[in-house]
Amino acid sequence: MGEMSGRSKIVIGVIVAVVIMCVIIIPITVVVNNQRQVLETTKATVATTVPTTGPTTPTPTTEVFTNPDTCTNIQASQRFDCFPDTSKQNKNQCEARGCCWLPTNVVNAPNCFFPPNYPAFTAAEQNVPYGKKFILTRNQRLPAHYASPMNSINLEIQYQTENRLRVKFTDNTRNRYEVPISFPTMTSNQQAATNRSYDVEVKTNPFAIIVKRRSTNTIIFDSSVSGLVLEDQFLEISSRLPSIDFYGLGEHEHQSFVHKNWNWHRWGMFSRDEFPGPERNLYGVHPMYLNIEDDDANSNVVVLINSNAMEAVLTPLPGITWRTIGGILDFYIVLGESPSHAVSQYIQTIGLPYFPPYWSLGFQLCRWGYNSLDRVKQVVEEMRAADIPMDVQYGDLDYMRYQLDFTYDPVRYDGLPAFVDDLHNRGQKYIIILDPAISDNQTSGSYPPYDDGLSRNIFIRHANYSMLTGKVWPRGNAVFPDYTNPSGKTWWKNLIVDFHKTIPFDGLWIDMNEPANFVAGSVTGCPNDRYNNPPYKPKGILGKNLYDKTICMDGQQAWGPHYDVHSLYGYSEIEPTLDGCRNATGKRGLVVSRSTFVGAGKQAGHWLGDNWSGWPPMAYSIIGSLEFNMFGIPYIGADICGFFNNATADLCNRWMQLGAFYTYARNHNGNGFLPQHPAAFGSQNAVNARKVLLTRYRLLPYLYTLFYHATTEGKTVMRSLMMEFPRDKIARTISRQFLWGSALLITPVLEPNANSVYGYFPSGRWFDYYTGIEFTQKGNVSLSAPADHIPLHIRGGSIMVVQEPANTTVYSRLNRFTIIITLDDNSLASGSFFWDDGESANTISNGMYTYMNMSCTEGQLTVNMVKNDYTIGPTLNNILVYGLKVPNIVATEVGGRFTNHQWDSTNKILNITGIGSSSLNYNMNGNGIIITTILVTTMGNHENDKFSNSVSQDISTSATSVRKNMNTLDPLVDESTISASVTTSNDVFLLLDPMNNAKSSAGQDEISMMSNTTSRIG
């Protein structure tokens, strides 16, 4: 028995040893095989190095983190993905991460998902004056999802303002790449903002952060719904959202303004040379969203300041997962009382938009493929012959010699400088295209941009210092400037200034700056390293590799590896381009960039890229334009009539009507397609284009004023109905209409062969822009829209200044103004007017402008001259008042003199003009602060002359009082004229009196002239 017992022990010992070896060896074999598989599937064109950090498969943990019962309690709609590499996931690998594995038939729902209270980190608080600070410690019993987890995290929660906080996760053991753009921050000794609209709760074990609106207790950000993963090349955090009234995330071609796809849809964000289309990451990166929280329209904006490749996943909870493969997690959360309030604060946070020159609001024309200056001249002459307004002609790629920057073709474009001079003489401008790629194979000494750049060492190189060479438009191969290098900025700016001496351009259009590359990575391929083949590539990003259609990720730049700063390439080009333009021209200048990033609107505008000629892309352009206004880039538009394919006459006619209300209105055509400039489709299209562009030019003073508010307050210009009517649930969904500011509603036709269009009219009063007649229907209404007409409506309660149009802004700015007043239900209205010289740099910061606030309240039109430091040449021609609720108007007085007027008693439209002429000819500066008072006297049906004489006496007394108390420029008409005017009718008297240089201690002018027989408008 003893011997048998010994043998048994030996056998048992061997079995145990074998089992142990199997437990050890089998998982290792799985790991190695999996690594080999990953490396084989991501092999680069040229593998010059082995990966310094390769992807790993998590090994099974000895601790069970998931409870099967807990997993089954999570509904499919509540799942957050724990294994985004769906093609590689399986039960064992999922559970090795401590996650739940439960396959489902719900479309796109993850089979592998985070359990409740995923124990990734614990938190310990440290006292700081600026808000909260925590040290997060990683649970090291959990395996890495990919590789190189961060085990100690520094979390700063900065209470920056009463409505804004910053939540920033950084590695506590080493410095990591952070976006090198200045955004608001707080130092260690700054005090937290008081009277905050938010509360922050931090759970310590396991860690989670929850941000709530204090007034409603609404959860704005809640990371407890999922796991927090922080690794070297994989960072992920998720949050619950308060509602599905969700907008933003860019740049994409969204097909609805409010997001509708909550089916775990991945929106990739990584700058890419890609034609607009569904499910594509496009030219710019804006990881920002707006979320309306409740019926009262409380709203918040969240932005992730990260420039690495990323994706945002929308889940049906509703929730959002942020997933990026580098940098840090750095969030700004902004709370507002409304969508517009939240967005304006967001824009103030990232940088107020650039103030464009006035001429850039005119119509612009471009095509790739004129192929000769003669053809350009022919097109311009066709526009002039059709009398179509136009401010800007472009030079696209074909003006260059061999597509080389800072050259022009001396044969096909012979005489280009003289042509540009002629444009200037006719009040027009010229903009040229510049691409970043610089040819590297011109004859030595013959191409200064390359020679000088090489001597300055400003072209991007591989990590091994060899030149990174690609292929773009220039003849031969190309190299790529590093605009993050200070020497590179100087080089670029100098080239711009020097080239202006040859071609006196007025603005610059920078294209292909994602940067685009016609080969994958470089002409020799990319090293197979951690940058070019990271362990995880976001699935929402197009392309087999990160370097698809761009340069290698190991490229070295001053701001860091291209892997980190790729999506900042266009952003970094903007600043030296604008500096060069302004130095060259000596004026405000303009830059329009294809690639943008958070804050790019401070110095540039944008167009929506190489779109298709078609009805759906035209409609989607409204959504893109509204989004970029939220992104802080209000100078925005799509290529009118489309860039690719041949546009039809019907499409181009309607697109010209829509495009006339882009803030950036440019018709742009691709190479080899039929001409599509407005005169190309025959006389009727030309007439229709002229009509709508004259409407635009008439409205430019209003549009320019909107840009003033954008650049000083962060307000949107091209504005969604949701912004103005946030409590209206239908308005939150509108994608096919929009507003200019708060006052002008645009309802374009977006379907072929249509003579009508449905538009949504929210509550309030609306007036037909063209006729002034009140539009009384509400809700979805069918509007007449023949081929020559785009429906426009002015919102009641608005005051806008417009101007007689001309064929260029140089000449329209010389014409007289009109003030349009549309009264709301309470017979009130307000507006403003900004004016400067339209082209000088820094007129706002230098105070060289005139600005006035206008309000119509309690019978008074008050014009408060806030600033009066620019002389306005044109005078006021007339005043239009829509929506008066009175039976008749007897007489009108403006500037101390009685004037002519026309009163439409049926439609309640008043037109106040000058006496004895068609114009008031009133000075818009007013030699100081102006107060204009409207007096309305309602007489009713008088039965005897005694009452009429009493009214006449009151009016005469008022006029005499005005003469004694006002420093007027023009004499009043005599009292006999006044009496004669009054006794001709016995209904209503309207008086507008400007008060000149009468300022109270509060800086406001006041005048009270209301007699017993007067009442407010309405």
Side-chain angles (χ1 to χ4, degrees):
M1 290 292 294
E3 185 176 349
M4 290 296 294
S5 176
R7 289 178 179 175
S8 297
K9 289 181 179 178
I10 293 173
V11 171
I12 291 171
V14 171
I15 292 173
V16 170
V18 171
V19 170
I20 292 173
M21 291 179 66
C22 289
V23 169
I24 294 173
I25 293 172
I26 291 174
I28 292 177
T29 303
V30 171
V31 171
V32 173
N33 286 341
N34 183 265
Q35 284 182 324
R36 183 182 300 116
Q37 180 184 7
V38 171
L39 291 177
E40 287 174 352
T41 57
T42 58
K43 188 176 297 181
T45 304
V46 176
T48 59
T49 66
V50 296
T52 57
T53 303
T56 62
T57 301
T59 56
T61 175
T62 58
E63 182 172 349
V64 177
F65 293 99
T66 56
N67 183 325
D69 293 335
T70 303
C71 292
T72 57
N73 289 337
I74 299 177
Q75 299 177 12
S77 63
Q78 299 173 321
R79 295 182 181 186
F80 285 85
D81 200 344
C82 182
F83 213 118
D85 272 326
T86 54
S87 62
K88 302 175 184 178
Q89 67 181 355
N90 59 48
K91 183 177 187 293
N92 290 338
Q93 292 186 3
C94 173
E95 292 180 347
R97 292 182 175 184
C99 291
C100 301
W101 176 262
L102 194 62
T104 176
N105 293 326
V106 177
V107 177
N108 291 336
N111 295 327
C112 180
F113 54 95
F114 285 99
N117 300 314
Y118 187 71
F121 290 88
T122 57
E125 186 169 7
Q126 298 182 347
N127 292 326
V128 291
Y130 55 75
K132 292 179 179 288
K133 180 178 179 179
F134 292 86
I135 300 298
L136 308 186
T137 302
R138 182 178 174 272
N139 182 353
Q140 296 192 42
R141 290 173 297 177
L142 281 175
H145 284 219
Y146 291 96
S148 304
M150 304 178 215
N151 292 318
S152 180
I153 302 298
N154 184 62
L155 169 62
E156 288 188 350
I157 307 171
Q158 300 177 0
Y159 299 160
Q160 294 191 342
T161 71
E162 63 181 18
N163 292 321
R164 184 181 72 227
L165 67 155
R166 185 183 191 182
V167 180
K168 183 179 180 181
F169 299 82
T170 57
D171 193 328
N172 203 33
T173 61
R174 67 184 181 94
N175 291 330
R176 290 179 59 81
Y177 164 76
E178 299 183 24
V179 173
I181 299 173
S182 179
F183 295 109
T185 192
M186 299 178 75
T187 59
S188 59
N189 59 355
Q190 282 186 282
Q191 296 297 312
T194 57
N195 301 318
R196 297 186 297 274
S197 60
Y198 50 86
D199 287 317
V200 177
E201 175 189 351
V202 173
K203 296 180 179 180
T204 58
N205 189 15
F207 163 78
I209 179 172
I210 301 171
V211 180
K212 296 181 180 179
R213 180 180 293 275
R214 181 172 290 178
S215 62
T216 62
N217 210 36
T218 300
I219 293 175
I220 292 171
F221 192 96
D222 179 5
S223 71
S224 68
V225 296
S226 184
L228 173 64
V229 182
L230 297 173
E231 299 178 2
D232 184 36
Q233 290 183 277
F234 185 86
L235 299 86
E236 177 178 281
I237 191 170
S238 300
S239 172
R240 181 192 309 274
L241 296 170
S243 82
I244 58 172
D245 291 323
F246 182 97
Y247 311 81
L249 299 178
E251 180 179 6
H252 309 99
E253 185 182 72
H254 293 137
Q255 298 183 7
S256 171
F257 185 43
V258 61
H259 278 258
K260 294 183 177 180
N261 190 343
W262 294 89
N263 196 21
W264 293 274
H265 187 78
R266 307 187 191 202
W267 292 106
M269 285 169 276
F270 192 61
S271 293
R272 180 176 173 87
D273 170 20
E274 185 64 43
F275 311 138
E279 320 302 322
R280 301 177 185 181
N281 55 296
L282 300 179
Y283 315 101
V285 169
H286 296 271
M288 166 271 193
Y289 68 76
L290 166 71
N291 201 187
I292 304 177
E293 301 160 18
D294 50 32
D295 290 347
D296 290 329
N298 289 302
S299 302
N300 68 80
V301 168
V302 176
V303 62
L304 172 59
I305 303 298
N306 183 290
S307 59
N308 290 86
M310 72 171 78
E311 60 192 3
V313 186
L314 299 184
T315 77
L317 184 62
I320 184 170
T321 295
W322 295 97
R323 209 175 275 142
T324 181
I325 61 172
I328 64 171
L329 297 181
D330 189 4
F331 293 96
Y332 286 85
I333 302 174
V334 181
L335 285 73
E337 298 172 352
S338 65
S340 59
H341 184 218
V343 168
S344 66
Q345 289 182 94
Y346 166 70
I347 294 172
Q348 291 169 36
T349 300
I350 63 171
L352 291 165
Y354 187 69
F355 191 46
Y358 197 89
W359 58 260
S360 71
L361 304 183
F363 177 65
Q364 307 180 36
L365 188 59
C366 178
R367 83 160 294 160
W368 172 29
Y370 287 125
N371 294 323
S372 73
L373 182 58
D374 287 342
R375 177 56 180 159
V376 175
K377 290 179 178 179
Q378 180 184 3
V379 169
V380 171
E381 287 304 319
E382 287 177 9
M383 295 288 288
R384 290 171 182 161
D387 207 17
I388 298 172
M390 173 179 155
D391 264 78
V392 183
Q393 177 62 51
Y394 278 70
D396 206 330
L397 274 174
D398 49 282
Y399 83 87
M400 300 177 184
R401 177 173 58 89
Y402 305 133
Q403 288 80 51
L404 300 173
D405 279 350
F406 307 109
T407 70
Y408 78 95
D409 191 313
V411 177
R412 293 182 303 153
Y413 278 81
D414 181 33
L416 181 58
F419 170 73
V420 176
D421 288 338
D422 182 65
L423 288 176
H424 292 161
N425 292 336
R426 296 171 181 262
Q428 294 174 305
K429 309 295 182 182
Y430 193 67
I431 291 177
I432 61 170
I433 191 173
L434 291 174
D435 291 339
I438 299 296
S439 174
D440 71 343
N441 63 347
Q442 304 306 303
T443 302
S444 179
S446 68
Y447 188 46
Y450 176 73
D451 296 333
D452 187 30
L454 192 64
S455 67
R456 292 172 177 264
N457 193 26
I458 55 87
F459 298 123
I460 297 175
R461 295 176 180 269
H462 286 289
N464 65 6
Y465 203 67
S466 63
M467 189 69 74
L468 198 163
T469 305
K471 194 168 186 62
V472 198
W473 293 119
R475 185 177 67 174
N477 295 329
V479 291
F480 299 85
D482 178 11
Y483 298 106
T484 72
N485 183 332
S487 182
K489 291 182 179 181
T490 301
W491 164 84
W492 187 251
K493 182 175 73 173
N494 290 345
L495 288 171
I496 291 170
V497 172
D498 288 344
F499 192 56
H500 187 266
K501 298 171 185 176
T502 301
I503 304 295
F505 55 80
D506 302 281
L508 294 170
W509 163 34
I510 49 178
D511 194 12
M512 308 292 286
N513 54 351
E514 294 72 33
N517 189 2
F518 296 162
V519 297
S522 78
V523 294
T524 58
C526 297
N528 185 14
D529 60 16
R530 63 192 297 262
Y531 296 124
N532 291 300
N533 294 294
Y536 176 75
K537 173 185 168 294
K539 302 301 180 184
I541 293 173
L542 293 180
K544 180 180 178 182
N545 308 100
L546 286 180
Y547 51 83
D548 184 66
K549 299 184 74 172
T550 189
I551 66 176
C552 299
M553 296 294 112
D554 67 301
Q556 299 300 295
Q557 298 187 242
W559 282 358
H562 195 73
Y563 177 86
D564 290 326
V565 303
H566 167 80
S567 292
L568 296 176
Y569 193 86
Y571 180 97
S572 67
E573 185 189 12
I574 289 171
E575 180 185 352
T577 303
L578 181 62
D579 285 348
C581 183
R582 297 179 86 162
N583 275 272
T585 64
K587 297 179 180 179
R588 193 179 308 170
L590 179 73
V591 173
V592 180
S593 177
R594 190 168 78 171
S595 185
T596 61
F597 187 77
V598 177
K602 293 177 294 186
Q603 297 175 310
H606 175 62
W607 87 105
L608 295 174
D610 298 337
N611 59 351
W612 296 87
S613 292
W615 294 93
M618 177 171 66
Y620 302 151
S621 73
I622 297 174
I623 299 165
S625 298
L626 295 177
E627 288 176 337
F628 269 89
N629 271 264
M630 293 198 312
F631 297 158
I633 307 179
Y635 190 74
I636 182 69
D639 284 349
I640 296 172
C641 300
F643 181 76
F644 285 114
N645 287 349
N646 295 319
T648 65
D650 185 20
L651 173 68
C652 205
N653 179 62
R654 292 304 190 181
W655 210 327
M656 279 296 300
Q657 290 172 351
L658 167 61
F661 296 94
Y662 295 148
T663 49
Y664 173 35
R666 181 183 71 161
N667 182 313
H668 182 209
N669 196 3
N671 189 30
F673 301 111
L674 294 176
Q676 63 183 38
H677 57 285
F681 291 98
S683 60
Q684 190 56 58
N685 266 40
V687 168
N688 294 350
R690 180 176 186 274
K691 176 181 177 181
V692 74
L693 289 174
L694 287 175
T695 298
R696 177 188 177 90
Y697 277 58
R698 183 175 186 248
L699 288 161
L700 287 186
Y702 172 65
L703 180 60
Y704 197 52
T705 299
L706 292 178
F707 269 102
Y708 167 78
H709 290 294
T711 201
T712 57
E713 304 168 57
K715 292 187 175 180
T716 54
V717 177
M718 197 171 168
R719 191 173 301 173
S720 66
L721 272 70
M722 168 270 293
M723 288 286 187
E724 288 297 314
F725 303 92
R727 297 186 181 184
D728 185 327
K729 295 296 184 66
I730 296 177
R732 294 183 186 183
T733 68
I734 298 298
S735 297
R736 296 167 72 88
Q737 289 173 280
F738 59 97
L739 296 144
W740 270 10
S742 62
L744 185 69
L745 177 63
I746 297 105
T747 309
V749 174
L750 303 172
E751 301 290 342
N753 306 313
N755 289 308
S756 63
V757 60
Y758 274 91
Y760 181 71
F761 287 81
S763 60
R765 300 180 79 185
W766 297 92
F767 300 86
D768 187 293
Y769 165 80
Y770 304 99
T771 66
I773 298 173
E774 183 168 3
F775 188 82
T776 58
Q777 295 175 271
K778 296 294 182 292
N780 282 307
V781 181
S782 178
L783 305 171
S784 176
D788 67 340
H789 182 74
I790 178 172
L792 304 175
H793 294 84
I794 308 178
R795 185 180 179 185
S798 306
I799 302 177
M800 63 171 64
V801 177
V802 299
Q803 190 172 32
E804 183 182 340
N807 280 357
T808 75
T809 56
V810 167
Y811 296 107
S812 70
R813 283 177 58 90
L814 302 176
N815 295 336
R816 290 172 174 169
F817 297 100
T818 293
I819 296 177
I820 301 176
I821 304 169
T822 58
L823 301 172
D824 66 11
D825 289 326
N826 297 312
S827 296
L828 307 177
S830 62
S832 59
F833 175 57
F834 172 92
W835 204 248
D836 64 0
D837 70 6
E839 63 177 3
S840 294
N842 306 315
T843 56
I844 296 176
S845 59
N846 293 336
M848 299 304 295
Y849 64 91
T850 288
Y851 177 77
M852 60 188 76
N853 281 322
M854 299 172 285
S855 63
C856 181
T857 175
E858 293 301 320
Q860 300 183 22
L861 171 62
T862 304
V863 181
N864 176 24
M865 191 70 78
V866 178
K867 192 167 185 59
N868 195 14
D869 289 321
Y870 178 77
T871 301
I872 303 174
T875 58
L876 179 64
N877 182 67
N878 65 313
I879 300 171
L880 293 168
V881 186
Y882 301 158
L884 284 163
K885 298 179 180 178
V886 294
N888 196 15
I889 302 293
V890 173
T892 56
E893 183 177 311
V894 176
R897 65 164 65 176
F898 280 86
T899 65
N900 286 343
H901 69 273
Q902 294 84 44
W903 169 242
D904 181 345
S905 59
T906 301
N907 296 307
K908 306 299 182 184
I909 298 170
L910 174 66
N911 182 17
I912 303 169
T913 59
I915 196 165
S917 71
S918 61
S919 175
L920 287 171
N921 200 30
Y922 184 73
N923 182 358
M924 292 290 286
N925 287 95
N927 289 337
I929 292 182
I930 301 173
I931 296 294
T932 304
T933 304
I934 298 178
L935 297 180
V936 178
T937 306
T938 305
M939 313 301 183
N941 295 321
H942 307 311
E943 298 178 356
N944 55 62
D945 292 336
K946 182 178 180 180
F947 191 80
S948 297
N949 292 335
S950 172
V951 171
S952 176
Q953 184 177 358
D954 287 337
I955 295 169
S956 178
T957 302
S958 295
T960 302
S961 175
V962 171
R963 183 191 301 113
K964 290 179 179 179
N965 289 287
M966 293 179 61
N967 178 22
T968 58
L969 297 176
D970 301 303
L972 291 171
V973 294
D974 60 37
E975 279 82 354
S976 61
T977 304
I978 297 174
S979 300
S981 298
V982 172
T983 56
T984 57
S985 181
N986 295 316
D987 291 318
V988 178
F989 168 70
L990 179 66
L991 176 68
L992 291 89
D993 286 318
M995 191 170 188
N996 191 23
N997 292 327
K999 189 180 296 185
S1000 69
S1001 60
Q1004 301 289 325
D1005 295 81
E1006 298 177 356
I1007 184 168
S1008 178
M1009 298 170 48
M1010 306 295 286
S1011 69
N1012 293 332
T1013 57
T1014 64
S1015 63
R1016 67 180 177 83
I1017 290 180

